Amino acid sequence: MPELRAALAVVALATALPLVSAPSAVADPEMVAVVLAGLPGYPDHHVTGLNDLGQVVGSAQGPDAPPRAVLWSPRGGATDLGPGLAVEVDQHGRVLGIETRTATAPYRNKPWIWSAGTRTVVAPNTAWASAPAMNGHGAVPVRYSTSLFRQEHNRVGVWEDGRLTELSLSGPDLWVYGINDAGVVVGGYAAFATQDFAAVRCVDGACTRLGDSPGYGTYTPEGITEAGVVFGNRGTVAVRWEGVEATVLSENGRVAHGEQAFNERGDAVGWAADGSGTPHAVLWPAEGKQVDLGVPAPAEAVAINERGDVVGWTAADESSTPRAFLWRAGRVTYLDPPTGHYSLPVAINDRGVVVGHTTGADSTNKATLWTPVPTTH
C-alpha cells in the first residue's frame, strides 16, 4: 500500500493528556491536537510513525544543515538521534533509520538501528545499502551493493545480530519491502529487458514467486502480516496474496504505503478510483467487499490499527490543503490542525493515538499528535 520543519512552543507535551485506552468502538471520539516540540534550529519536522508506547519518530530539517533523525517520547521530549532520517520505531523503542550523503564523495547510503542511546550501522561492510523495515526482533531486510555502482551489484539479504545473510534471489533489479517476526521477507524482482516482474516471499533465505496479477510493470509489496498475508500494488492494481495466490482488491486503486496500511486481522486501506478517476478513501476488510469510507473525494486512507480504526485525508475543499480524518465503525471525525492550514495523518496506534503533520503559523511543517480524550461513564 501512503510513508514520514525551531518548533512552535504551542503546547508542551509535558502537560498533555497521558495515553489512555481508546473510547468505545462506536463512539465519536474527542481528540486533542498537540504540536510536538522540535530540535532548535530546524524549523521543519516530519514524522514517519509511532508505536503503542506513544513514541514517535521522524526527522528535523533546516535550510543549511543535513536532516537529523528524531525520537519523541510519550511526553513530547525530542531526542536527536544524529544525521539521517528515522524510518520506524518498534514496540521496544528501537529505531530504524538511514543516513544518506549524495552531494559530495564519498557517497553514503547506510541504514542504522538506534537502541538505548547506541546507534549501530546495519550491513557496515557494504558499499551502499537501504533498509525499509524492521521486525520485532530487530531483523532488517536489506537491499545492498558491494560497489557504489549499485545497479551492477544488486543483492538482497537480512541483517540480524550483526550478520548479513544473503537471500536466494538473483536478477538485474531486486528489492525488499517488509519482514514479519518469523523472519519471512517480501520483496520484488524485475527484469526490464524481458518484462519479467514478480513479487516474492522469502522463508529461511529461499525465495518463491507470488502469483501474477493484472496491471503493468513492477510489483511493490507493502508488507507482510504475522500470518504471512502480503499486501501490495502493481501500478494502480491493489493486490493481496495468501500463500502464492493473488487476489485483486481493486483494478484502479492502491494499498497505502508501508506496514501501517494493514493490520493482523487482514484488513487493508488505501484508495480506489470511481468512474471519473477520482480517488476515494477505502477499506478492504479481510472478509467482505470494498468499503468506501464516505469522506468527500479526492481522498485516501493511509493507516489502520488492530481495532479497525482508519486515518486518512481528504482534499475536497482545496487540493493544496488536505484535511485529516479518523474513521471508526462508519463514523468520521475530522482531525484539524491547532494552527495553520492543513492536517495530514501518517499513523495510528492501537490506543487510538494519531500522528501526522500540520502547518504552523509560519507555514512550516510540524509534527502533531492527536490524542483521544478519556470518556467518563
Side-chain angles (χ1 to χ4, degrees):
M1 196 123 0
E3 287 108 60
L4 353 185
R5 294 170 170 176
L8 293 176
V10 180
V11 183
L13 261 185
T15 61
L17 290 171
L19 297 181
V20 296
S21 298
S24 65
V26 296
D28 289 331
E30 182 183 351
M31 307 288 283
V32 173
V34 176
V35 173
L36 300 177
L39 300 184
Y42 290 81
D44 287 288
H45 291 82
H46 299 260
V47 294
T48 51
L50 81 164
N51 62 17
D52 289 337
L53 302 175
Q55 295 172 306
V56 176
V57 290
S59 63
Q61 300 183 12
D64 302 315
R68 310 286 293 185
V70 182
L71 171 66
W72 284 274
S73 74
R75 286 295 187 180
T79 300
D80 186 343
L81 303 186
L85 305 172
V87 175
E88 68 172 70
V89 58
D90 72 6
Q91 303 300 349
H92 305 285
R94 285 183 296 235
V95 180
L96 173 66
I98 192 160
E99 183 181 356
T100 300
R101 183 175 61 217
T102 58
T104 59
Y107 306 114
R108 181 179 178 87
N109 205 82
K110 287 289 185 181
W112 46 262
I113 294 175
W114 181 96
S115 179
T118 299
R119 182 160 141 161
T120 303
V121 174
V122 171
N125 296 323
T126 61
W128 179 98
S130 63
M134 174 176 59
N135 72 9
H137 305 297
V140 178
V142 182
R143 181 182 187 227
Y144 67 99
S145 169
T146 56
S147 165
L148 289 175
F149 299 100
R150 55 186 181 275
Q151 269 70 20
E152 298 177 9
H153 299 77
N154 191 12
R155 299 181 182 180
V156 288
V158 175
W159 171 264
E160 186 173 15
D161 297 330
R163 192 169 120 195
L164 181 62
T165 302
E166 191 166 0
L167 299 176
S168 66
L169 185 65
S170 62
D173 287 285
L174 308 174
W175 294 270
V176 285
Y177 295 101
I179 185 170
N180 65 14
D181 285 352
V184 182
V185 176
V186 289
Y189 162 91
F192 289 93
T194 59
Q195 293 294 287
D196 182 22
F197 307 107
V200 300
R201 181 191 286 112
C202 304
V203 180
D204 296 329
C207 300
T208 302
R209 290 174 68 117
L210 302 181
D212 291 337
S213 79
Y216 176 76
T218 59
Y219 291 86
T220 308
E222 297 295 346
I224 182 171
T225 71
E226 297 306 320
V229 179
V230 177
F231 294 93
N233 303 290
R234 187 182 192 191
T236 55
V237 176
V239 187
R240 176 175 60 219
W241 287 272
E242 297 185 61
V244 297
E245 183 179 355
T247 299
V248 173
L249 301 175
S250 173
E251 292 191 352
N252 194 4
R254 284 181 67 86
V255 174
H257 176 63
E259 295 180 347
Q260 297 159 153
F262 56 87
N263 61 23
E264 290 302 318
R265 300 191 313 197
D267 308 322
V269 297
W271 64 266
D274 60 21
S276 67
T278 304
H280 290 246
V282 298
L283 162 68
W284 292 288
E287 303 292 340
K289 297 181 180 180
Q290 174 181 295
V291 176
D292 189 314
L293 300 186
V295 296
E300 180 180 352
V302 300
I304 185 171
N305 67 12
E306 294 303 320
R307 286 194 328 188
D309 300 334
V310 179
V311 290
W313 56 265
T314 172
D317 295 332
E318 172 58 51
S319 61
S320 62
T321 55
R323 187 184 189 191
F325 69 83
L326 166 65
W327 181 95
R328 175 175 293 160
R331 302 186 181 189
V332 174
T333 300
Y334 288 100
L335 307 176
D336 291 322
T339 62
H341 307 291
Y342 76 81
S343 53
L344 190 67
V346 170
I348 180 170
N349 71 13
D350 289 342
R351 296 187 176 192
V353 178
V354 179
V355 72
H357 306 126
T358 62
T359 49
D362 57 358
S363 297
T364 55
N365 196 73
K366 301 302 175 188
T368 302
L369 205 68
W370 288 270
T371 303
V373 175
T375 57
T376 57
H377 298 284

